[in-house]
Amino acid sequence: MFQKQPMMRRVLYALAPIAALAIWLYGPRVILTLAVSLGVGVLVEYLFEKKKGGKVSEAVLVTGTLFAFSMPPAAPLWIVAIGMAFAIFMAKEVYGGFGRNIFNPAIAGRLFVYISFAGVLGGSFFEPGNFGAAAGSLFGRPDAVSGATALATLRSGGDVPILGLLLGTRAGSIGESSIILIAGAAIYLIATKTAQWRLILSTVLGGAVVAAALFFAGVKQALPMQSLLAGSFLFVAVFMATDPVSAPKKPAAQWAYGLLIGAVIIVIRTFSLFPEGTSFALLLGNTFASLFDKIVTDAAKRKAALAAAATGTEALK
Amino acid sequence: MKKDSTLYVVLFTFIVCAIFVVVLAVANEGTKGLVAANKQFATQSAVLGAFGIPFADAADASAKYASEVTEEKSAGYRSWKATVAGTGYTAVEQSGAGLWGTITIILAATPDGQTVRGVRVLAQLETPGLGGRIEEPWFLGQYEGEKAPDGKVIMKAGAEASGKADADKANGRVEGISGATRTSQAFGSIIDAGLERIKAGGGK
Amino acid sequence: MKNSKMLTVLKDNLWTNNPIFIQILGICSTLAVTNNVRNTLIMSAGVTFATALSSMTLSAMKDLLPRKVRMIIQVVVMSFYVILLDILLRAYLPDVSKQLGPYVGLIITNCILMGRAEAYAAANKPLMSFWDGLTSGLGYMAVLVVISVIREILGFGTLLGFRVMPEGFVTWTIMIMAPSAFFFVAMVMWWAKTEQAKRETAKKEAKK
């Protein structure tokens, strides 16, 4: 039933430790969220591919996992299902399935439900630890007071311990927990040539430079530097920006793409009323990806033409 | 005369425009009275609504307005006074910036500005279906009888808004409209500015 | 003879040459007003009224019309009907006028009016042009109403202002915002074109 895609498998391996940590942090509910997300994703893709006679791609498992990871831990399961159905249907299959989508499906789905159900999802965060003890019950929707995410705390001028950010013991979405695990995954993905290092580095660089510029220029709303470790910034840089389908292919275009995404994340985070800007930034990056590729290709062509003309005249002499 | 000659083109255009403009002018003149009456009714019903005085139709509203409400005008602002069920209230017309344009409301409260009597929206240009919902009864109803400690009603907008009406009248808080954070915040500050003016004596 | 011609125009404007999903005209207002069925009905009735009457008027004067000022006169005629509509709404339906706000005036920018005036009224008799404008407006209305029914139910949980969804229903904010109309317009186009292609092949098969 599945196409074999070793690259996608390696991404899944890289995501596994994060999933294990998430279960410890937020309880068995994480498994339910994952199951719903993967189930809906595979089902929608299967229904479409059956008609066309194709196979379900393993990429849908990555999309499903990434989408589940971008949800707050107590997100209602019906929202997870709607978001994932939208992601596979509107952002992937209508474009023609795997390899043809312009936008990253997981991010498109996430943004769809975040705009639709901002109130519900915003109140679905809770304090992590001990298999989701703060949630009150193992599988049910927590009655406990929702916790403020690290980014929200920083925005309201509070302080967040760096250790918590590194280990992941702070409120946030399911997968954006531990910086150490995400960094480890990044190393694994780069070492196995699954993810393009340029994309990760340029995204992080773009974000860091703009954040530093705003902070040290003394802009009133600027967030302190540890905000780079909070929210989904690194998670997006490692797992979303590197999506081989929606990212540009040429090295120079990849640099521009990453820098754009990183910079826009920080600008939206700092100045807009939205709590997080990563999804918007990534979709914006996706929009420009093929244009960047075209600019780079055209420039190379022009150069080659010039060089050919030059050698041509040389030869004439 | 040839159809492409300059004279014909000019004459034709002139005559066509003249005819249409005359018809429009007649239509405009003919409905002027009605439009003005509609506008007057809009204001009067908003004032009566803010004071919580019930009325049946336009004629009834006009009569009730004449008998129960006294209009005052000073420094370009309109304000009204009325006594409902033995308590005196002051109402003011208050404008402020919304997300897309100016929001104008009629706000009625006790003269000390500590308890809101009611609010009606006169004009707004907010996003239909989002910010435009400030005209809806569930939203405005939250203000009726709401206590305003320190002359302010706190607007819960943005991520913390549940989008459902806040039923507690004593907590001095109302719920914003989910998805319309900026409009909700703007509306909250217009209310607070209006309460300030009522406290200062209405018209000033 | 006349009847069959009228039927052709009707079928053309409602289906084979629908202004929204085939000609892709008037998309701006499709995005703006379709989050609520009532406004959609009034808006598309306004478009229908303005298209039908301006097509008829322009067709009646087409023999007198100098080519140089054709476009200007077209705009004058269309804005005449739109302003008239605006005045009538303000006088007799003040609530509706207030709710639709700037959209009534924006009917003038609706490409369907100009499109029908150029494509049909410039070469046909006044009554047929009236019929063409009317059916074009109805084709526009049909698509918009379908979209607005879905958007109002999901976005507000209501239909024509009456609550149809259960109390605990969480409304979909995105349905109220313009982007969701893009999804639905796209899906309507997709469905209509697939359906038309299917019928086309079926017809060819039958001929063989």
Side-chain angles (χ1 to χ4, degrees):
Chain A
M1 183 174 136
F2 285 102
Q3 298 176 28
K4 283 212 162 53
Q5 291 172 309
M7 250 177 101
M8 293 300 161
R9 291 220 177 145
R10 286 198 290 272
V11 179
L12 287 178
Y13 298 150
L15 286 166
I18 300 176
L21 177 72
I23 293 170
W24 182 74
L25 290 174
Y26 302 115
R29 196 188 159 76
V30 170
I31 302 175
L32 266 183
T33 308
L34 263 173
V36 169
S37 171
L38 291 174
V40 171
V42 171
L43 181 73
V44 173
E45 185 153 332
Y46 174 72
L47 290 177
F48 259 84
E49 293 298 329
K50 197 178 72 176
K51 241 181 164 176
K52 292 191 293 186
K55 277 182 176 170
V56 176
S57 61
E58 276 177 7
V60 73
L61 300 180
V62 173
T63 304
T65 313
L66 289 178
F67 177 76
F69 279 12
S70 73
M71 288 287 109
L77 296 174
W78 61 268
I79 290 186
V80 176
I82 289 176
M84 194 57 198
F86 179 87
I88 299 299
F89 176 66
M90 279 307 256
K92 186 172 177 187
E93 288 303 327
V94 295
Y95 285 100
F98 176 76
R100 297 195 182 86
N101 48 308
I102 303 171
F103 298 106
N104 185 318
I107 286 290
R110 176 183 188 270
L111 211 50
F112 183 77
V113 292
Y114 257 81
I115 292 177
S116 286
F117 312 110
V120 180
L121 290 176
S124 296
F125 292 101
F126 57 87
E127 290 300 329
N130 294 326
F131 294 101
S137 71
L138 287 185
F139 291 103
R141 217 171 123 54
D143 304 319
V145 190
S146 61
T149 63
L151 201 59
T153 315
L154 283 171
R155 277 166 77 109
S156 54
D159 210 24
V160 174
I162 298 257
L163 192 67
L165 292 174
L166 290 177
L167 294 178
T169 51
R170 40 77 170 174
S173 295
I174 293 174
E176 62 188 42
S177 52
S178 166
I179 298 306
I180 295 176
L181 282 185
I182 294 176
I187 292 168
Y188 168 76
L189 290 175
I190 293 172
T192 56
K193 295 209 164 51
T194 310
Q196 177 51 253
W197 61 270
R198 261 183 235 108
L199 290 168
I200 301 180
L201 186 65
S202 58
T203 307
V204 173
L205 213 63
V209 167
V210 174
L214 290 176
F215 184 62
F216 292 112
V219 175
K220 201 173 78 219
Q221 302 99 317
L223 298 164
M225 290 310 281
Q226 66 256 41
S227 70
L228 287 176
L229 301 178
S232 57
F233 177 61
L234 279 177
F235 182 75
V236 162
V238 172
F239 290 106
M240 306 286 200
T242 56
D243 170 22
V245 176
S246 57
K249 315 291 179 284
K250 303 271 180 267
Q254 289 179 336
W255 278 109
Y257 174 78
L259 290 174
L260 174 77
I261 293 177
V264 173
I265 289 176
I266 302 301
V267 169
I268 295 182
R269 236 184 216 193
T270 313
F271 297 106
S272 86
L273 287 165
F274 283 95
E276 176 69 299
T278 47
S279 305
F280 294 108
L282 202 87
L283 287 192
L284 202 68
N286 288 164
T287 316
F288 286 104
S290 53
L291 180 66
F292 285 161
D293 260 348
K294 187 173 157 39
I295 292 174
V296 172
T297 322
D298 286 354
K301 264 190 207 149
R302 224 173 303 132
K303 226 178 184 175
L306 274 180
T311 47
T313 41
E314 291 282 302
L316 276 180
K317 272 179 189 171
Chain B
M1 210 184 309
K2 260 170 63 190
K3 235 173 89 177
D4 275 336
S5 69
T6 315
L7 184 65
Y8 179 82
V9 169
V10 170
L11 267 181
F12 180 85
T13 316
F14 181 79
I15 292 170
V16 168
C17 289
I19 294 172
F20 284 130
V21 168
V22 166
V23 175
L24 279 185
V26 168
N28 195 29
E29 277 303 308
T31 55
K32 218 173 172 183
L34 259 176
V35 173
N38 285 336
K39 218 173 156 193
Q40 197 189 9
F41 173 65
T43 312
Q44 290 183 351
S45 61
V47 172
L48 291 174
F51 278 125
I53 304 171
F55 57 90
D57 52 23
D60 188 32
S62 176
K64 285 240 171 77
Y65 183 84
S67 64
E68 294 185 29
V69 180
T70 47
E71 188 176 341
E72 293 170 5
K73 198 165 199 170
S74 54
Y77 285 106
R78 285 188 291 179
S79 67
W80 298 266
K81 281 199 177 7
T83 304
V84 186
T87 323
Y89 293 104
T90 308
V92 290
E93 183 187 82
Q94 182 71 32
S95 297
L99 182 61
W100 300 114
T102 307
I103 301 175
T104 306
I105 60 166
I106 305 267
L107 169 71
T110 51
D112 59 0
Q114 298 290 307
T115 309
V116 179
R117 174 69 187 173
V119 188
R120 285 294 178 275
V121 177
L122 265 191
Q124 53 96 0
L125 296 166
E126 302 308 291
T127 326
L130 286 169
R133 295 178 66 199
I134 52 173
E135 293 198 24
E136 288 180 9
W138 73 268
F139 178 73
L140 294 177
Q142 296 183 84
Y143 283 102
E144 272 154 36
E146 187 78 33
K147 287 266 179 295
D150 312 321
K152 275 187 174 30
V153 178
I154 296 160
M155 168 66 66
K156 275 172 73 183
E160 52 191 355
S162 68
K164 290 203 180 63
D166 177 296
D168 190 347
K169 294 293 181 196
N171 65 358
R173 263 204 329 225
V174 292
E175 285 281 345
I177 296 158
S178 50
T181 311
R182 303 277 286 276
T183 301
S184 303
Q185 285 165 346
F187 196 81
S189 45
I190 295 170
I191 294 277
D192 291 347
L195 287 173
E196 188 88 351
R197 281 222 351 258
I198 289 175
K199 211 168 144 190
K204 273 141 250 165
Chain C
M1 171 62 206
K2 181 108 196 226
N3 259 345
S4 74
K5 204 175 155 200
M6 280 178 85
L7 271 178
T8 320
V9 170
L10 176 71
K11 198 186 161 212
D12 240 26
N13 285 331
L14 285 185
W15 178 245
T16 28
N17 204 14
N18 182 289
I20 299 282
F21 57 73
I22 303 296
Q23 302 181 50
I24 330 264
L25 294 177
I27 296 299
C28 166
S29 53
T30 310
L31 303 182
V33 299
T34 53
N35 58 12
N36 159 330
V37 178
R38 186 167 158 265
N39 286 0
T40 307
L41 284 172
I42 295 166
M43 178 73 181
S44 42
V47 170
T48 310
F49 161 87
T51 317
L53 290 177
S54 63
S55 272
M56 185 177 76
T57 315
L58 283 165
S59 165
M61 37 202 282
K62 69 174 184 291
D63 292 333
L64 296 170
L65 197 63
R67 286 200 65 75
K68 279 185 201 158
V69 288
R70 194 183 79 247
M71 291 272 189
I72 299 173
I73 299 294
Q74 282 173 354
V75 174
V76 168
V77 171
M78 287 165 204
S79 43
F80 166 76
Y81 285 112
V82 173
I83 296 172
L84 196 63
L85 182 72
D86 194 29
I87 291 177
L88 292 179
L89 280 182
R90 248 187 297 167
Y92 298 103
L93 295 169
D95 282 348
V96 173
S97 156
K98 199 174 153 196
Q99 269 202 354
L100 287 177
Y103 294 129
V104 176
L106 284 177
I107 292 178
I108 185 66
T109 65
N110 194 315
C111 315
I112 296 174
L113 274 80
M114 199 75 150
R116 290 334 289 169
E118 279 285 284
Y120 198 91
N124 284 286
K125 295 227 164 66
L127 268 182
M128 279 310 286
S129 300
F130 177 83
W131 177 244
D132 175 72
L134 187 77
T135 48
S136 279
L138 292 178
Y140 169 83
M141 181 187 274
V143 177
L144 261 68
V145 166
V146 169
I147 295 173
S148 65
V149 164
I150 306 173
R151 285 182 69 189
E152 186 173 337
I153 289 180
L154 290 178
F156 296 103
T158 61
L159 194 59
L160 280 167
F162 296 106
R163 191 146 197 99
V164 290
M165 294 306 258
E167 217 19 72
F169 177 71
V170 184
T171 56
W172 301 30
T173 310
I174 201 163
M175 291 299 157
I176 303 169
M177 295 156 80
S180 67
F182 274 115
F183 303 142
F184 288 120
V185 171
M187 281 201 250
V188 170
M189 277 178 202
W190 180 15
W191 169 80
K193 296 212 162 157
T194 320
E195 195 63 24
Q196 288 183 355
K198 240 191 240 162
R199 289 189 192 182
E200 199 72 3
T201 37
K203 228 187 247 169
K204 270 183 198 156
E205 292 284 314
K207 265 185 191 166
K208 266 180 197 167

